[in-house]
């Protein structure tokens, strides 16, 4: 499979002189095909009668070049093995696939939040609120869930099956604004908030606005979440990489930001924005407030828009690095920097990935651009209504004194404490193994351990034309059923190898999951140590 690691190495050499320096050979910018697309034009061929119009050769080359490692070759193989286990039980070395490749909590049996599901059920089948059924409903649902469902149905004309405002239901946006105000201590305007079909949809919409031509570049962290390289590939734009500092718990380096920006602009790239993922995916790091202030000043000084991906803001497991929003720091500094910040129901303790609810807040954005963003939102008519309702519960949960408050808080805390325990336990396990080291997860749902792969294995992988960490992860899957994502799918410092694993497997099965991984790694190291 054409990997981000391989593709971007070539593209970086063509685009950024930093890559010509051996010290920066690992910087990944974009797929090779993007460079080719900008410099060559395929001959247009009219198909003969009966031939297909849409083929790999005639389709949009930017889409063909896109990669998304989180659902790449290893997860595809995992699905095939899963089907094999169904059709031929006992035919493999393991009993089940453990999907640690994606932050999808409920796939790994995280319990949904009861109040959210109760409100959703009542809204979806609103006959339960009718006079003829309400007494029966009151025996099954708490009064505050009934009232919330009624209240929310009033926002949508009595039915969640109707279109809403293109920016999302105004009352929900008001609640999001109050949530932001309570979090940061600064005002938020509901008219600057847009509800979206997941945070990914919000990110893509903003990138669509920023990329006006193929010379545009967007600074992205390395390692990064593949949404960004995939989207920039689709838009035929430049990904401008900067490194996170693994040795400093994945904080940003001001010097590396300056280097990345100056080299790219010197080569004619119109760098317009900086992406920051905080808490980090895939790293699990969380930025210090002082580091965020440096980033804001850097972007202000260099005329860069900030894209703050903050979907893991409630997944914080340490007291030393609390979550601080970019919005709060921008307001504290009185900065005029342009900012888009993103949040979602998919992560945190809510974990409702499939409902596709998200939002962005726009700060210091030109009013005419805001009008254009409304126009773009209107083309899609409206965001997913079920996702909007879940966003409303996330930002406006049951309050003290409400019938559901105690249960809501208990469920949220049980999930949080379990995630915190699992994050620590998995980091300890990784750090106990030879040739492996791992920073603790300060936030998010992932660990990104560093593996020192044996020289013989690296040479074997390269002889097969494969990234060594990809081959390691594939062998792990075939031996254990554990599906993780190789570091080459995210980008990594040259000469280093990693993989990303969630810590979401069920807690009662967690020890078995760790034992299976340990057996594989120890056997792997023993096998290849004799070949060195």
């Amino acid at each position: 499979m054409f990997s981000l690691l391989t593709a971007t190495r070539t593209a970086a050499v063509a685009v950024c002189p930093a890559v010509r320096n051996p010290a920066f050979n690992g910087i990944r910018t974009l797929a090779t095909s993007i460079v080719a697309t900008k410099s060559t034009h395929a001959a247009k061929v009219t198909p003969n009668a009966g031939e297909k119009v849409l083929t790999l050769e005639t389709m949009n080359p930017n889409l063909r070049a896109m990669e998304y490692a989180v659902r790449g070759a290893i997860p595809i193989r995992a699905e095939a093995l899963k089907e094999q286990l169904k059709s031929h039980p006992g035919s493999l070395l393991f009993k089940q696939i453990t999907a640690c490749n994606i932050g999808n909590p409920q796939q790994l049996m995280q319990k949904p939040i009861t109040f959210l599901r109760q409100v959703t059920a009542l809204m979806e089948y609103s006959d339960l609120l009718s006079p003829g059924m309400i007494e029966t409903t009151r025996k099954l649902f708490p009064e505050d869930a009934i009232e919330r469902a009624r209240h929310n149905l009033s926002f949508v004309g009595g039915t969640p099956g109707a279109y809403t405002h293109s920016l999302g239901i105004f009352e929900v946006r008001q609640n999001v604004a109050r949530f932001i105000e309570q979090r940061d201590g600064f005002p938020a305007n509901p008219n600057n908030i847009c509800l979206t079909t997941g945070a990914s949809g919000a990110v893509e919409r903003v990138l669509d606005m920023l990329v006006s031509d193929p010379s545009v570049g967007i600074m992205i962290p390395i390692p990064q979440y593949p949404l960004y390289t995939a989207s920039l590939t689709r838009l035929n734009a430049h990904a401008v990489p900067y490194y996170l500092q693994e040795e400093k718990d994945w904080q940003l380096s001001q010097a590396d930001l300056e280097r990345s920006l100056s080299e790219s602009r010197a080569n004619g790239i119109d760098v317009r924005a900086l992406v920051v993922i905080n808490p980090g995916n895939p790293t699990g790091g969380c930025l210090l407030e002082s580091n965020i202030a440096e980033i804001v000043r850097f972007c202000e000084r260099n005329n860069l828009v900030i894209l703050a991906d903050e979907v893991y803001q409630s997944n914080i497991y340490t007291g030393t690095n609390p979550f601080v929003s970019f919005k709060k720091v921008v307001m504290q500094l009185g900065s005029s920097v342009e900012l888009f910040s993103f949040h979602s129901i998919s992560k945190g303790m809510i974990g409702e990935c499939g409902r596709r609810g998200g939002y962005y807040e726009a700060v210091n954005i030109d009013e005419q651009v805001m009008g254009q963003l409304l126009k773009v939102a209107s083309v899609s008519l409206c965001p997913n209504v079920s996702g909007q309702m879940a966003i409303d519960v996330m930002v406006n949960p049951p309050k003290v004194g409400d019938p559901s408050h105690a249960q809501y808080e208990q469920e949220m805390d049980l999930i949080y404490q379990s995630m915190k325990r699992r994050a620590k336990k998995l980091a300890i396990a990784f750090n106990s193994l030879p040739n492996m080291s791992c920073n603790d997860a300060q936030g998010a749902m992932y660990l990104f351990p560093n593996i020192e792969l044996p020289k013989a294995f690296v040479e074997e992988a390269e002889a097969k034309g494969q990234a060594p960490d990809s081959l390691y992860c594939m062998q792990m899957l075939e031996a254990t059923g554990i599906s993780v994502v190789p570091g080459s799918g995210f980008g990594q410092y040259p000469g280093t190898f990693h993989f990303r694993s969630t810590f979401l497997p069920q807690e009662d099965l967690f020890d078995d999951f760790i034992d299976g991984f340990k057996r594989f790694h120890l056997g792997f190291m023993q096998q290849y140590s004799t070949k060195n």
Side-chain angles (χ1 to χ4, degrees), residues 261 312 383 476-477 486:
L261 178 63
Y312 296 99
M476 183 198 307
L477 171 65

Side-chain angles (χ1 to χ4, degrees), residues 89-381:
S91 62
L92 297 172
L93 298 172
F94 44 87
K95 296 180 180 179
Q96 64 179 22
I97 297 295
T98 306
C100 293
N101 59 294
I102 192 166
N104 192 10
Q106 292 185 22
Q107 181 188 40
L108 292 169
M109 307 309 292
Q110 178 173 303
K111 183 182 180 298
I113 299 299
T114 301
F115 181 76
L116 187 152
R117 289 299 180 89
Q118 288 171 334
V119 172
T120 300
L122 291 166
M123 291 188 68
E124 291 294 332
Y125 187 46
S126 56
D127 286 359
L128 292 170
L129 303 173
S130 66
M133 295 185 70
I134 190 62
E135 291 308 315
T136 300
T137 300
R138 286 195 171 109
K139 296 175 183 178
L140 299 171
F141 293 85
E143 194 62 33
D144 55 343
I146 292 170
E147 288 307 309
R148 175 67 69 89
R150 280 178 171 155
H151 187 57
N152 286 6
L153 282 168
S154 72
F155 302 160
V156 292
T159 171
Y163 290 134
T164 71
H165 190 284
S166 295
L167 295 179
I169 298 164
F170 181 71
E171 290 84 356
V172 177
R173 287 186 282 131
Q174 283 182 311
N175 287 335
V176 172
R178 278 191 282 270
F179 164 80
I180 293 170
E181 289 173 356
Q182 291 167 4
R183 181 194 68 190
D184 297 337
F186 293 97
N189 184 344
N191 291 318
N192 293 336
I193 292 164
C194 179
L195 305 181
T196 56
T197 303
S200 298
V203 169
E204 290 173 341
R205 189 173 297 173
V206 172
L207 288 174
D208 282 344
M209 296 294 290
L210 282 162
V211 177
S212 59
D213 62 73
S215 71
V216 171
I218 308 294
M219 297 181 71
I220 63 168
I222 298 295
Q224 54 92 36
Y225 178 52
L227 165 68
Y228 295 97
T229 44
S231 297
L232 292 170
T233 301
R234 175 179 61 83
L235 294 168
N236 196 23
H238 295 282
V240 176
Y242 65 88
Y243 282 128
L244 302 178
Q245 297 177 289
E246 185 170 9
E247 71 280 5
K248 294 183 179 179
D249 285 326
W250 305 108
Q251 298 292 299
L252 274 70
S253 162
Q254 181 86 358
D256 196 59
L257 290 176
E258 297 282 1
R259 175 206 57 77
S260 176
L261 178 63
S262 62
E263 289 178 348
S264 298
R265 284 183 169 170
N267 280 271
I269 298 176
D270 179 12
V271 184
R272 292 189 174 180
L274 172 77
V275 171
V276 183
I277 308 172
N278 184 50
N281 177 8
T283 65
C286 190
L287 297 177
L288 295 168
E289 185 171 354
S290 57
N291 204 200
I292 295 172
E294 289 177 345
I295 296 163
V296 170
R297 290 302 193 202
F298 169 80
C299 291
E300 186 180 58
R301 192 166 60 248
N302 291 288
N303 295 320
L304 296 172
V305 180
I306 299 175
L307 276 57
D309 184 335
E310 299 176 333
V311 301
Y312 296 99
Q313 60 189 260
S314 59
N315 296 97
I316 298 294
Y317 313 113
T318 173
T320 60
N321 293 56
F323 171 76
V324 179
S325 75
F326 270 78
K327 163 75 176 292
K328 181 176 182 178
V329 175
V330 166
M331 299 303 288
Q332 286 175 336
L333 295 175
S335 175
S336 60
V337 73
E338 296 154 272
L339 168 69
F340 290 94
S341 57
F342 308 97
H343 197 14
S344 167
I345 58 168
S346 298
K347 312 305 175 185
M349 300 338 115
I350 300 291
E352 293 281 354
C353 302
R355 292 184 188 275
R356 309 309 300 132
Y359 71 79
Y360 68 77
E361 182 189 19
V363 177
N364 294 330
I365 302 301
D366 181 270
E367 283 301 317
Q368 290 183 314
V369 172
M370 294 297 294
Q372 294 298 309
L373 284 164
L374 171 58
K375 179 181 71 176
V376 172
S378 300
V379 173
S380 299
L381 297 174

